[in-house]
Amino acid sequence: MNDKLMTLNLKIWRQKSAKHKGRMQDYKLSGVSPDMSFLEMVDLLNEQLVRQGDDPVAFDHDCREGICGMCSMMINGEAHGPSALTTTCQLHMRHFHDGDSIVIEPFRAKAFPVIKDLMVDRSAFDKVIQAGGFVSVNTGNPQDANNIPISKENADLAMDAAACIGCGACVASCPNASAMLFVSAKISQLALLPQGQVEAKARAESMVQKMDEVGFGNCSNHAECEASCPKGIDLSNIARMNREYFKAKFS
Amino acid sequence: MSTVNKSIMAYFTTSVGKKQIMALTGLALSGFLLTHLLGNFLILVGADAFNMYAHTLTSNKLIYVAEAGLALIFLTHLGLAFNLTVENKKARPQSYYTKVRTGRGATLASVSMIYTGLVILGFLVSHLMHFKFGPVYYVEMNGTQVRDIYRVVIDYFADPLQAGWYVLAMITMAFHLGHGFQSTFQSFGFNHNKYSPLIKKLGITYAILVSAGFAGLSVWGYLQSSN
Ligand code: HEM
Ligand code: FES
């Protein structure tokens, strides 16, 4: 056996379903390689649990390459764990040490109810998108590239905003469970481009309204969202949303 | 109600709208603090100058309008503070088993706004009780009777406990303003690579100077009587 393998003390939130009460449960897991991703470490635990005839820990994951935004987990009190600009699936066990205790919990917000164990229902985000996160265009042949001139600066800012993968880390890390970083990125990526400007006012109003309606908290400008965002979405997006919203109401 | 009016009314109930009203009222109160401090510095000139200043202010009829406006701004800020705090608590009904600050975002000042705010509220009540609605003595100046507010101030701060409470309250207020001032810019949508860090520094400077100014006057008041 490789002597670099680690043994970890895990404390994981177990909850049978949305209706059941959950609790933290302790697990000891050995044979963890520093080369494993965090999710592979949980896979290892689940193989052990299945072998013992226990219920494996349910958790969300899909791409495992940092682009889908599914792997929501609160690791030692931080969304997606301690590494900046990193999703849980891209977090590696080399950031931990033999004998470490690791607390793993689901993202917690009224708008993100727990489905089972570490899985939460993030469809509140979809509802916000449905409220206005689109442009209405007639379909048909695509236009020639560069038909609509867009400044390099705005193109870059729109691309930066569009890097949001909707993982929900902003909500999870915000002391108020506010979704403003997500919503503002979705508003910004469209408001910055001519195609999105037509509906900019109505979009800002309806997306903000929906965001409040589905139960997210308010923004206190703590900036924990920006600090926890695996894609580095900038706080200036929230400022843009505040501007857009103000403009929509008063101009 | 017309649809336009309805849409404007909705502004006052949405997260972004409330945050901007919080910012506007907070900024107005911050402006008031600065003028209040500058006026108070007249006490260093002497009893006559200070009493004359206070008399001129309070004998102007417009003072009632200004006071009503200030009270309205303060109560709006206060009411929204509670409303937002309750809503934010409700947005996360089940708290985390472990939650740490990343160290790259929230600060002690930002997470304690409601507590530092409550200290300011307590301070304000005691402040109004002891000064505005405090003892009334008269002195004669240029043939008119004016309130000797100078004496009220000096008497109050003669007690080291009371002077100490003022200093503590002002330190607490510095935290509130330290986060609050820069936060208002973000709330109104101003965020700039180059200027936002400067605004942050300006806010902290403002918070420290204003709080130190008031605290300094309290200490000065205490020293007057111990000499
Ligand atoms: C001299 C009096 C006061 C001044 C100058 C002041 C100033 C400010 C400023 C500038 C902000 C930032 C607004 C923003 O984020 O855009 C703020 C926020 C806040 N204030 Fe005050 N404030 C005062 C009194 C109070 C009182 C009495 C309370 C409540 C008990 C209070 C509670 C709060 C809270 C909770 C916030 C944060 C709101 C949020 O963003 O979630 N403040 N204040
Ligand atoms: S699993 Fe897709 S981002 Fe982590």
Side-chain angles (χ1 to χ4, degrees):
Chain A
M1 222 187 176
N2 189 334
D3 60 1
K4 281 204 314 226
L5 294 184
M6 302 181 278
T7 298
L8 300 171
N9 300 303
L10 305 173
K11 202 179 252 308
I12 303 180
W13 181 261
R14 300 304 311 261
Q15 182 173 343
K16 273 210 173 73
S17 78
K19 290 194 190 71
H20 286 81
K21 248 179 87 91
R23 61 188 175 86
M24 300 301 293
Q25 181 153 345
D26 292 318
Y27 297 96
K28 206 175 189 82
L29 181 67
S30 41
V32 179
S33 152
D35 298 330
M36 282 178 177
S37 76
F38 199 86
L39 296 186
E40 283 165 343
M41 182 275 291
V42 185
D43 289 337
L44 187 71
L45 171 72
N46 277 345
E47 283 166 17
Q48 180 182 310
L49 290 176
V50 169
R51 269 198 306 275
Q52 294 166 0
D54 290 337
D55 194 21
V57 178
F59 65 96
D60 264 327
H61 60 107
D62 188 6
C63 70
R64 297 210 179 196
E65 57 180 18
I67 56 170
C68 77
M70 283 305 284
C71 49
S72 54
M73 274 186 204
M74 210 66 185
I75 301 165
N76 283 343
E78 288 187 75
H80 295 295
S83 301
L85 299 172
T86 309
T87 53
T88 302
C89 57
Q90 298 278 286
L91 174 67
H92 283 82
M93 295 314 295
R94 56 177 171 269
H95 296 289
F96 298 90
H97 304 99
D98 188 36
D100 272 3
S101 295
I102 306 179
V103 177
I104 313 173
E105 290 175 86
F107 283 2
R108 293 210 184 279
K110 179 168 170 250
F112 287 173
V114 172
I115 298 170
K116 185 176 187 207
D117 298 337
L118 304 174
M119 291 171 91
V120 298
D121 179 357
R122 286 178 296 123
S123 51
F125 270 7
D126 302 331
K127 292 192 184 120
V128 175
I129 295 291
Q130 283 159 7
F134 48 78
V135 289
S136 310
V137 286
N138 295 325
T139 51
N141 279 340
Q143 293 184 8
D144 285 346
N146 297 331
N147 217 8
I148 304 171
I150 299 170
S151 71
K152 163 94 172 103
E153 198 193 348
N154 277 9
D156 284 350
L157 288 171
M159 273 309 271
D160 289 347
C164 168
I165 54 177
C167 68
C170 45
V171 175
S173 61
C174 175
N176 308 341
S178 165
M180 290 216 188
L181 194 63
F182 166 79
V183 178
S184 68
K186 300 302 172 190
I187 285 179
S188 291
Q189 67 186 10
L190 300 174
L192 282 159
L193 302 177
Q195 295 91 328
Q197 272 152 16
V198 187
E199 291 158 295
K201 280 188 186 178
R203 178 183 306 115
E205 290 198 66
S206 45
M207 287 180 80
V208 166
Q209 201 188 331
K210 186 56 82 176
M211 164 179 84
D212 293 349
E213 221 176 274
V214 293
F216 292 112
N218 305 287
C219 176
S220 298
N221 299 330
H222 293 297
E224 279 296 287
C225 53
E226 180 188 56
S228 306
C229 177
K231 296 294 145 182
I233 302 296
D234 199 274
L235 213 57
S236 61
N237 286 294
I238 301 186
R240 185 175 299 102
M241 174 175 74
N242 294 342
R243 268 197 317 272
E244 290 289 325
Y245 185 76
F246 192 80
K247 265 196 289 182
K249 284 292 182 200
F250 296 106
S251 72
Chain B
M1 224 190 312
S2 76
T3 43
V4 173
N5 280 344
K6 238 186 219 154
S7 150
I8 302 273
M9 282 312 289
Y11 173 81
F12 296 98
T13 54
T14 51
S15 52
V16 176
K18 286 194 281 196
K19 174 186 161 88
Q20 288 175 346
I21 295 166
M22 206 62 194
L24 191 66
T25 51
L27 214 52
L29 292 172
S30 308
F32 162 74
L33 282 183
L34 194 61
T35 56
H36 189 27
L37 176 65
L38 292 179
N40 282 1
F41 276 137
L42 278 176
I43 204 168
L44 300 177
V45 176
D48 288 352
F50 190 64
N51 284 337
M52 203 49 183
Y53 157 71
H55 179 72
T56 316
L57 261 189
T58 49
S59 54
N60 189 331
K61 288 278 171 293
L62 280 178
I63 192 72
Y64 296 109
V65 181
E67 280 177 350
L70 196 59
L72 188 69
I73 290 171
F74 188 83
L75 291 176
T76 306
H77 191 83
L78 183 72
L80 273 183
F82 287 118
N83 172 271
L84 290 171
T85 304
V86 168
E87 281 189 0
N88 293 342
K89 277 267 167 298
K90 278 197 192 144
R92 178 168 294 131
Q94 173 142 30
S95 47
Y96 286 108
Y97 178 84
T98 307
K99 177 83 167 71
V100 298
R101 277 186 244 143
T102 55
R104 305 180 294 272
T107 59
L108 179 63
S110 80
V111 296
S112 57
M113 289 303 273
I114 188 66
Y115 305 111
T116 50
L118 283 174
V119 173
I120 297 177
L121 178 64
F123 168 80
L124 183 75
V125 171
S126 113
H127 181 63
L128 290 177
M129 265 169 43
H130 287 107
F131 292 106
K132 187 167 177 54
F133 303 110
V136 180
Y137 315 110
Y138 286 100
V139 283
E140 182 152 326
M141 282 179 73
N142 312 329
T144 37
Q145 294 275 81
V146 305
R147 186 179 172 196
D148 191 359
I149 191 75
Y150 179 87
R151 180 173 156 200
V152 181
V153 172
I154 298 298
D155 282 357
Y156 183 81
F157 289 123
D159 183 342
L161 279 180
Q162 294 181 356
W165 149 237
Y166 264 54
V167 172
L168 279 182
M170 288 306 110
I171 292 174
T172 314
M173 191 176 79
F175 278 88
H176 199 83
L177 297 175
H179 173 72
F181 186 88
Q182 54 90 18
S183 174
T184 59
F185 288 81
Q186 168 79 7
S187 296
F188 277 112
F190 186 85
N191 183 312
H192 187 280
N193 280 345
K194 194 159 97 205
Y195 298 118
S196 289
L198 288 180
I199 289 172
K200 244 178 212 177
K201 288 205 184 91
L202 182 72
I204 291 172
T205 311
Y206 165 84
I208 293 177
L209 284 184
V210 168
S211 302
F214 283 117
L217 286 177
S218 316
V219 174
W220 174 86
Y222 168 70
L223 293 176
Q224 288 323 95
S225 57
S226 59
N227 281 339

